[in-house]
């Protein structure tokens, strides 16, 4: 196995590890906000590594075999990575905002400045 | 002006996604080029006003794009890595102290506040729940509340300084 192949496997393993943790977080944490931490952020970080593994795999296959479709695979994975980085926090923010607006408070919270602010306005 | 820029951006993006479909200019088929141009025109017509309103001309300065790129692969990625290991530990041990805190963003422009809110959301452990439109205060769900009224440095480290350099 070449060093590059080993690197691809390491990147894939790191990505899988964080994605698994994100899934575990769904079961461990008590409410929607803390679950969002695990489910959206750990999986973004894991997916970065998985995408890097795909990009590296595409580039090395392109180099060794000469088939351009592997280069295109790497290119598309890079575009997907950028899209992921932009849309994932936006989605997490939208879910959290919608949850708070519809009256779902954070459980076990030591402080809730947003609810205090809304109470003052009413 | 913003019509032209939005159109070119959309067309460039389409070309990246369809590279390798033919032989014109090294990698595109005529059908994809035409479809891309038509799509870019529609996108530009629909959304060029939005880009002009939200970003202003300064957002197109190439130096800022370079700075933004350095920021994403440097401080932002490092911050994400550190915070991810911290949240990974909390997932396993279940040791949390959650709460929603209010933070002054200290940034003037909409684009900067959006970038800061997204950076904060992207780093695990902190999640932007809401933004005050007038005062630009951020309401942040923090998984491990250390103080009730933190400064922006407590939440995000050096992010706000970087974003001020990029957007202002």
């Amino acid at each position: 196995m070449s060093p590059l192949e080993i690197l691809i496997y390491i990147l894939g393993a790191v990505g899988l590890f964080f994605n698994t943790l994100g899934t575990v977080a769904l079961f461990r944490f008590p409410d929607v906000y803390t679950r969002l931490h695990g489910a959206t952020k750990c999986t973004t970080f894991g997916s970065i590594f998985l995408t890097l593994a795909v990009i590296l795999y595409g580039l090395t296959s392109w180099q060794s075999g000469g088939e351009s479709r592997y280069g295109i695979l790497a290119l598309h994975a890079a575009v997907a990575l950028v899209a992921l980085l932009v849309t994932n926090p936006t989605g997490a923010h939208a879910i959290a905002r919608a949850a708070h607006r519809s009256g779902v408070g954070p459980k076990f919270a030591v402080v809730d400045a947003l609810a205090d602010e809304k109470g003052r306005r009413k | 002006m913003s019509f032209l820029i939005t159109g070119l951006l959309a067309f460039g993006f389409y070309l990246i996604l369809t590279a390798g479909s033919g032989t014109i200019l090294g990698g595109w088929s005529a059908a994809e080029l035409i479809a891309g141009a038509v799509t870019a025109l529609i996108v530009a017509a629909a959304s060029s006003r939005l880009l002009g309103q939200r970003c202003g001309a300064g957002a197109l300065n190439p130096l800022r794009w370079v700075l933004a790129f350095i920021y994403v692969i440097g401080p932002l990625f490092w911050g994400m890595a550190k915070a991810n290991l911290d949240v990974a530990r909390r997932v396993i041990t279940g040791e949390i102290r959650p709460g929603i805190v209010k933070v002054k963003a200290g940034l003037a422009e909409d684009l900067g506040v959006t970038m800061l809110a997204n950076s904060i959301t992207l780093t695990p452990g902190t999640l932007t729940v809401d933004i005050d439109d007038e005062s630009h205060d951020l309401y942040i769900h923090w998984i491990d509340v250390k103080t009730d009224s933190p400064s922006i440095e407590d939440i995000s480290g050096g992010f706000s300084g970087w974003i001020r350099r990029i957007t202002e």
Side-chain angles (χ1 to χ4, degrees):
Chain A
M1 224 164 29
S2 72
L4 266 176
E5 275 180 350
I6 296 171
L7 185 61
I8 291 172
Y9 281 116
I10 291 174
L11 285 174
V14 172
L16 261 182
F17 172 72
F18 279 107
N19 275 5
T20 314
L21 273 180
T23 317
V24 174
L26 272 181
F27 293 98
R28 286 250 342 140
F29 285 158
D31 69 337
V32 61
Y33 304 100
T34 41
R35 279 177 185 160
L36 274 176
H37 283 292
T40 65
K41 270 80 74 66
C42 282
T43 51
T44 312
F45 197 64
S47 302
I48 289 175
F49 283 98
L50 285 177
T51 322
L52 285 179
V54 172
I55 292 174
L56 208 57
Y57 171 76
L59 287 179
T60 50
S61 304
W62 189 29
Q63 279 296 315
S64 58
E67 280 187 79
S68 64
R69 65 190 171 100
Y70 286 114
I72 292 162
L73 174 72
L75 194 63
H76 284 188
V79 173
L81 182 62
V82 174
L84 194 75
L85 282 179
V86 176
T87 54
N88 214 314
T90 315
H93 167 62
I95 295 173
R97 187 160 185 262
H100 208 282
R101 289 211 153 187
S102 48
V104 181
K107 272 186 198 158
F108 309 117
V110 288
V111 53
D112 189 349
L114 184 54
D116 295 349
E117 185 70 23
K118 276 183 188 160
R120 225 173 292 146
R121 273 182 208 163
K122 267 171 202 165
Chain B
M1 186 63 184
S2 63
F3 183 88
L4 192 68
I5 292 160
T6 318
L8 283 177
L9 276 176
F11 191 54
F13 205 71
Y14 195 92
L15 289 187
I16 292 175
L17 284 174
T18 55
S21 59
T23 50
I24 301 171
L25 301 171
W28 290 279
S29 65
E32 291 291 8
L33 284 177
I34 294 167
V38 172
T39 317
L41 278 176
I42 296 171
V43 170
S47 62
S48 61
R49 269 188 312 131
L50 260 170
L51 184 81
Q53 254 174 24
R54 296 285 171 189
C55 301
L60 293 162
N61 186 338
L63 187 68
R64 291 184 173 186
W65 285 81
V66 173
L67 262 179
F69 184 71
I70 295 171
Y71 164 70
V72 169
I73 61 168
L76 182 63
F77 189 78
W78 175 238
M80 277 180 79
K82 272 192 303 186
N84 254 292
L85 290 173
D86 182 60
V87 169
R89 188 176 61 77
R90 284 174 206 287
V91 170
I92 294 164
T93 60
E95 180 190 310
I96 50 173
R97 196 176 135 77
I100 296 179
V101 292
K102 181 179 173 177
V103 178
K104 284 224 168 306
L107 293 168
E109 287 189 35
D110 276 355
L111 182 65
V113 177
T114 311
M115 267 181 88
L116 183 63
N118 263 11
S119 300
I120 286 171
T121 307
L122 209 49
T123 39
T126 50
L127 172 70
T128 313
V129 178
D130 212 340
I131 299 174
D132 194 315
D133 284 332
E134 286 132 36
S135 59
H136 288 164
D137 290 341
L138 303 171
Y139 293 92
I140 292 168
H141 184 271
W142 200 4
I143 207 165
D144 178 42
V145 176
K146 294 191 184 78
T147 64
D148 280 3
S149 48
S151 69
I152 192 73
E153 277 78 20
D154 293 337
I155 295 276
S156 68
F159 289 174
S160 57
W162 269 93
I163 288 167
R164 191 171 298 124
R165 250 173 284 164
I166 294 168
T167 59
E168 285 171 19

